[in-house]
């Protein structure tokens, strides 16, 4: 069976940046499962797997445009530290949810000073060229 819209797909994968640093991978929890063609995965990932079948192994690169988008420097913002309830638990790299004009967004703390917290609303993988190694484990029809 080939991968096409509305098929259930199980894959093992490794995701690396251009320097070869491992960013994410399937592991002991087993393959990643998703329904193809409904937006569960980034467009470049789905495009690369279109037409593939169980047992295939492939390597491909996804540009930021077909991944998590380009970085937008306007999404780096600051907020008074006093807006946070638990300031003693704030740390660089921590993430928190913030209400944005188009819903809830995930923010990553970049820096903390005496009065201000600087954070980034870009996806952590925005602006990064993504290098995938994928093994298709299973392709099947979706069931209710």
């Amino acid at each position: 069976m080939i991968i096409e819209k509305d098929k259930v797909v199980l894959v093992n994968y490794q995701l690396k940046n251009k320097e070869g640093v491992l960013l994410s991978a399937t592991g002991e929890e087993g393959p990643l499962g998703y329904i193809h063609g409904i937006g569960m995965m980034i467009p470049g990932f789905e495009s690369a797997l279109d037409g593939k079948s169980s047992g295939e192994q492939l390597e491909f690169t996804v540009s930021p445009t077909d991944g998590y988008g380009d970085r937008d420097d306007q999404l780096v913002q600051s907020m008074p530290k006093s807006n946070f309830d638990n300031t003693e638990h704030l740390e660089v790299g921590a993430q928190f949810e913030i209400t944005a004009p188009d819903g809830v967004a995930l923010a990553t703390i970049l820096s903390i000073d005496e009065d201000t917290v600087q954070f980034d609303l870009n996806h952590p993988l925005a602006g990064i060229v993504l290098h995938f190694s994928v093994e298709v484990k299973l392709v099947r029809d979706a069931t209710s």
Side-chain angles (χ1 to χ4, degrees):
M1 185 172 291
I2 66 166
I3 297 174
E4 58 188 5
K5 185 168 175 26
D6 297 328
K7 298 294 183 188
V8 172
V9 180
L10 298 179
V11 297
N12 283 328
Y13 76 93
Q14 286 190 337
L15 168 60
K16 296 179 180 180
N17 64 14
K18 69 179 178 182
E19 291 80 22
V21 175
L22 184 65
L23 302 175
S24 179
T26 50
E28 293 178 13
E29 69 278 358
L32 168 71
Y34 74 97
I35 299 174
H36 194 78
I38 65 168
M40 292 177 71
M41 305 298 286
I42 57 174
F45 187 92
E46 288 196 347
S47 175
L49 269 69
D50 271 337
K52 304 298 186 252
S53 57
S54 297
E56 287 195 57
Q57 296 183 3
L58 60 153
E59 294 191 14
F60 56 92
T61 300
V62 175
S63 69
T65 303
D66 291 326
Y68 294 95
D70 292 317
R71 284 196 49 77
D72 181 351
D73 291 336
Q74 292 182 358
L75 294 177
V76 175
Q77 301 176 9
S78 296
M79 175 186 311
K81 198 173 181 181
S82 61
N83 286 13
F84 291 86
D85 294 331
N86 234 342
T87 58
E88 62 271 3
H89 291 104
L90 293 177
E91 61 183 48
V92 172
Q95 295 181 317
F96 64 94
E97 289 183 347
I98 187 169
T99 303
D102 57 348
V104 176
L106 188 63
T108 304
I109 297 176
L110 300 177
S111 65
I112 304 165
D113 65 25
E114 192 172 314
D115 301 318
T116 307
V117 175
Q118 184 183 49
F119 56 92
D120 187 351
L121 292 167
N122 285 290
H123 187 283
L125 298 177
I128 296 176
V129 174
L130 306 171
H131 299 275
F132 285 94
S133 296
V134 176
E135 177 187 12
V136 180
K137 299 300 282 182
L138 176 74
V139 181
R140 66 172 175 80
D141 290 325
T143 60
S144 55

